Amino acid sequence: MCLPKIILISCLTIILLISNILAAEIAVIVNKESKITTITPQETAALFLGRKQSTRSMQVVTIIEQPRDSELRKDFFRLVNGMSLIQVNAYWSRLQFSGDIQPPIVLSNNQSVLRAVQNDIKAIGYIDSNFVDDSIRVALILKDHNEQLLGYVQ
C-alpha cells in the first residue's frame, strides 16, 4: 500500500472513532422492579442535584453517581440541565459545606453503577448506553449531537 492510502485510512478511522464518541448516549437506569418506567430530563436533574428525593410517583430513590471528574458525568449534567462539571462540583461543595444534604453515592465506573442499580430497587443511576443490558430498565436516554433530549421507554 502506498503512503497516501495509509494516511487516508488512518484519517478515516480517527474520524469514525471521534464520531462514535460524539454520538454517545447516556442511559438513565433504574432497577427492573422499580415503579419508575420513564423519567423526564427535568426530574432527573432535580434528583441528581438533590433538589428532590423522590420521583413524581412519590418513590424515594437512591442516587448512584459516576466519578466526580469523569467525562460521562460531565456529559450527563451538560445534557440533562446545561451545567458544566465545575458548576456541578461547586454546587455540591456548597451543599455539603452547609450540611443541608449529603452528595450521592459515587461509584468507580459504568459496571459498578449497573451492579448497584441491579441490586437496589430504589436506585437510579446513569451509564454509557453501551453498557445497558436486560438486567435493568432504561428510564431515559440522553443523546448528544445537538439533538433534543429523548425519553426512552423500554
Side-chain angles (χ1 to χ4, degrees):
M1 235 186 222
C2 66
L3 189 57
K5 284 184 179 179
I6 293 172
I7 292 172
L8 178 63
I9 291 171
S10 297
C11 288
L12 290 174
T13 302
I14 290 170
I15 290 169
L16 285 173
L17 288 172
I18 290 171
S19 67
N20 282 342
I21 291 168
L22 294 176
E25 296 178 346
I26 299 173
V28 178
I29 60 170
V30 295
N31 184 283
K32 216 171 185 168
E33 303 301 318
S34 172
K35 293 177 185 175
I36 301 169
T37 55
T38 63
I39 192 166
T40 66
Q42 296 78 14
E43 190 174 16
T44 302
L47 290 169
F48 278 85
L49 290 172
R51 294 179 181 152
K52 292 175 67 178
Q53 280 74 47
S54 62
T55 64
R56 64 182 176 272
S57 62
M58 301 309 291
Q59 180 173 342
V60 175
V61 296
T62 304
I63 304 297
I64 309 294
E65 259 283 20
Q66 293 281 346
R68 183 175 166 100
D69 294 319
S70 71
E71 285 295 313
L72 186 61
R73 186 169 186 254
K74 179 182 91 173
D75 290 342
F76 172 78
F77 280 103
R78 179 179 53 81
L79 290 171
V80 83
N81 68 356
M83 290 176 77
S84 72
L85 203 50
I86 291 170
Q87 291 172 310
V88 173
N89 290 341
Y91 171 84
W92 275 109
S93 293
R94 279 192 309 276
L95 284 181
Q96 200 170 3
F97 181 74
S98 70
D100 289 343
I101 191 168
Q102 290 300 308
I105 298 165
V106 177
L107 297 179
S108 60
N109 57 41
N110 288 296
Q111 291 171 331
S112 298
V113 172
L114 183 69
R115 277 194 303 276
V117 171
Q118 288 169 343
N119 294 321
D120 182 352
I121 196 167
K122 294 180 180 181
I124 184 169
Y126 58 90
I127 58 175
D128 180 313
S129 64
N130 293 318
F131 287 84
V132 169
D133 63 27
D134 63 356
S135 69
I136 47 85
R137 177 182 298 141
V138 176
L140 175 69
I141 290 285
L142 301 170
K143 290 188 176 194
D144 209 338
H145 275 152
N146 299 319
E147 293 180 19
Q148 294 293 325
L149 301 178
L150 301 175
Y152 176 85
V153 180
Q154 186 171 358

